Amino acid sequence: PGIQICETLPKLSQMMEHMVPIRSMSTKEGDHSRATFHLRTGYRPQGPVHYPTLGSLLSNELGNSESELPNFVSISPFRNFSPAAYGPGFLGPTRSPLVVGEGGRVAAPDNADDGADSLTVKNLETPQHVSLDQADRRLAMLNDFDASFRTSRPGVPTASHHSAYNQAVRMMRSSAVKAFELNDEDDKLRDAYGRNQFGQGCLLARRLVERGVPFIEVSLNGVANNQSFGWDTHNNNFDSVKALTAVLDPAWATLLEDLKQRGLLESTLVVWMGEFGRTPRINGSSGRDHWAGSWTTVLSGGGVKGGQCFGETTNDGMKVKDRPVSAADLMATICHAVGVDPMKQNISNVGRPIRIADHDAEPIMELLSR
């Protein structure tokens, strides 16, 4: 009661008991590239340290190196602005995500393309003329050559190459890979998510959660017939946001409800965020520009106490009035929610220990249920 939700998110408004809008995000980066890096790693892009993205950090803590599926799956990312913000950094190539659906920038209109074809993993099956026995012999021969090469050239690149091949073979031989076969789902449920790449990506995320993948991200980078890039609504903001939320609302709400019905929501943290917010004031093109001073992220599901808001801005929305939250604070809060110590240190590419969250991060403990 008392939480106001915009009229273009009617389905999400029914799920507020599980959600916490953080309305006092306050960061200092208003450039797409730098802000993307800042929010995805918790650190600004500066100096020689190659900071890992959040998915690499958390899958490193929560994942299983022998699992049949990758520990980090990135669905439909748009990496052009800041490629380094999507990589494993100093954690190394073994913590890279499996990327599916990249390049599908827009969510097609419903019924034009159901989005599933772009979310498959390529080359999982051997060619029809190659039997399983032949494939095994070829892999054994490759492994013999590979072992000799690794012995004479030890190091991260060769070890990562070997690990990637082993992971690929495990996926090819595993029944868990059926997670990517969205046609197995009931048509009504697929319709509820939305027959577009983002909606079907959220459905794929739920299927991966069921199979124990610890970190999945899904990106909504734009919708069909919308001239702006994703949420970058410098022009025609109101029509653009209406089109974007028409895709976002059913997918996000159905994901939460689907996880809830399957008993998975209490153990699954769902984070919604961008790299910054938009100006409270409307510009001369009926648009809203970049704004890092006061904006919103949302946490929902496992590890948080839903049904409340955190933080407050001034009435004009220009400044944070109460409890500003930095990128590092958000990182630390996410870590606590999933049971990871944000102050744990990893050795960086320059030999320096780096905490998962910056040393001055303050997690929002009153939002956490653990």
Side-chain angles (χ1 to χ4, degrees), residues 266-290:
E266 289 186 359
S267 60
T268 306
L269 176 69
V270 182
V271 181
W272 179 86
M273 70 178 192
E275 74 274 51
F276 43 59
R278 313 300 300 182
T279 50
R281 293 174 179 168
I282 307 304
N283 66 25
S285 301
S286 296
R288 299 174 68 190
D289 301 317
H290 300 182

Side-chain angles (χ1 to χ4, degrees), residues 203-334:
L203 173 57
L204 173 57
R206 188 226 82 206
R207 290 172 63 85
L208 293 171
V209 168
E210 282 185 303
R211 289 161 175 81
V213 177
F215 194 98
I216 308 111
E217 62 182 9
V218 191
S219 299
L220 175 53
N221 300 309
V223 294
N225 304 317
N226 186 2
Q227 298 305 309
S228 65
F229 170 76
W231 301 85
D232 200 33
T233 56
H234 295 283
N235 302 288
N236 195 25
N237 172 81
F238 300 100
D239 289 342
S240 296
V241 169
K242 186 176 181 179
L244 285 158
T245 52
V247 171
L248 174 69
D249 186 50
W252 186 2
T254 303
L255 173 62
L256 295 180
E257 181 63 31
D258 201 5
L259 288 169
K260 180 182 177 181
Q261 292 296 326
R262 295 167 189 271
L264 295 169
L265 186 57
E266 289 186 359
S267 60
T268 306
L269 176 69
V270 182
V271 181
W272 179 86
M273 70 178 192
E275 74 274 51
F276 43 59
R278 313 300 300 182
T279 50
R281 293 174 179 168
I282 307 304
N283 66 25
S285 301
S286 296
R288 299 174 68 190
D289 301 317
H290 300 182
W291 191 253
S294 50
W295 55 289
T296 298
T297 58
V298 182
L299 305 180
S300 51
V304 299
K305 300 175 184 176
Q308 60 177 316
C309 293
F310 182 85
E312 183 181 357
T313 65
T314 53
N315 288 338
D316 61 5
M318 298 293 288
K319 297 179 180 179
V320 172
K321 180 180 178 180
D322 182 48
R323 303 294 298 274
V325 177
S326 69
D329 296 340
L330 179 65
M331 179 76 77
T333 304
I334 291 170

Side-chain angles (χ1 to χ4, degrees), residues 62-76:
L62 303 172
N64 177 1
S65 61
E66 298 302 316
S67 63
E68 294 179 329
L69 292 175
N71 291 302
F72 175 15
V73 178
S74 181
I75 300 170
S76 310

Side-chain angles (χ1 to χ4, degrees), residues 118-150:
S118 63
L119 301 179
T120 57
V121 181
K122 308 300 182 186
N123 304 315
L124 279 177
E125 298 181 358
T126 56
Q128 291 184 349
H129 64 277
V130 177
S131 68
L132 182 61
D133 183 58
Q134 287 175 308
D136 285 341
R137 293 202 304 271
R138 292 179 181 185
L139 287 169
M141 182 182 295
L142 174 63
N143 192 54
D144 287 342
F145 283 117
D146 192 32
S148 175
F149 188 84
R150 294 199 315 275

